[in-house]
Amino acid sequence: MEQTLLLIKPDGVKRQLTGEVLARVERKGYVMTDLKMVMATEELLSEHYAEHREKPFFPDLVTYMTSGPIVAVIVEGARVIEGIRSLSGSTEPTLAAPGTIRGDLGRDWGTGQIENIVHSSDSPESAAREIGLWFN
């Protein structure tokens, strides 16, 4: 079975949407094989978002991702990577389709601050690397 990493970001945890997100994953038929709540460190996020380290938005991303607890989940199932990404919706909540996590629950404050609730791995290689980082 394929595995992926799903993160419920600090905005999702703060707004008490963890149960809603996990219920959607379960209703889709995927299995959660590990789950934990963590306070991410700058070091962990620097590794997780390595491709973004030199981008101008990186410091704001780290500030956002260290602003509260994150729920990290290993999700397993057939074609789970693309399935969870489809369930998550577009990274821009305003454009995310209704029925997706971000479309129904995400927020765009119009100030550059976007709360898009979740992160999920985008490929088998990313999933393996990210699971290794969050569940070492």
Side-chain angles (χ1 to χ4, degrees), residues 80-112:
V80 71
I81 293 170
E82 61 189 310
I84 292 295
R85 289 186 66 81
S86 177
L87 187 63
S88 297
S90 170
T91 58
E92 295 185 43
T94 302
L95 302 177
T100 65
I101 292 166
R102 292 173 178 143
D104 292 348
L105 307 173
R107 294 180 174 173
D108 184 342
W109 294 100
T111 61

Side-chain angles (χ1 to χ4, degrees), residues 7 44-51 119 129-130 133-134:
L7 299 178
L44 172 60
L45 295 168
S46 185
E47 288 299 314
H48 179 85
Y49 291 114
E51 68 276 14
H119 161 86
R129 182 181 70 80
E130 293 173 357
L133 289 171
W134 291 85

Side-chain angles (χ1 to χ4, degrees), residues 44-61:
L44 172 60
L45 295 168
S46 185
E47 288 299 314
H48 179 85
Y49 291 114
E51 68 276 14
H52 299 305
R53 269 186 255 177
E54 303 304 318
K55 295 182 179 171
F57 63 81
F58 184 72
D60 290 338
L61 176 61

Side-chain angles (χ1 to χ4, degrees), residues 57-76:
F57 63 81
F58 184 72
D60 290 338
L61 176 61
V62 171
T63 298
Y64 161 59
M65 292 295 286
T66 57
S67 69
I70 294 171
V71 174
V73 188
I74 299 174
V75 184
E76 189 173 279

Side-chain angles (χ1 to χ4, degrees), residues 12-33:
V13 175
K14 181 179 180 181
R15 291 176 52 211
Q16 300 181 342
L17 297 172
T18 300
E20 171 70 23
V21 171
L22 297 178
R24 289 175 184 227
V25 169
E26 287 185 321
R27 282 195 302 267
K28 190 74 175 165
Y30 297 125
V31 176
M32 290 174 269
T33 61

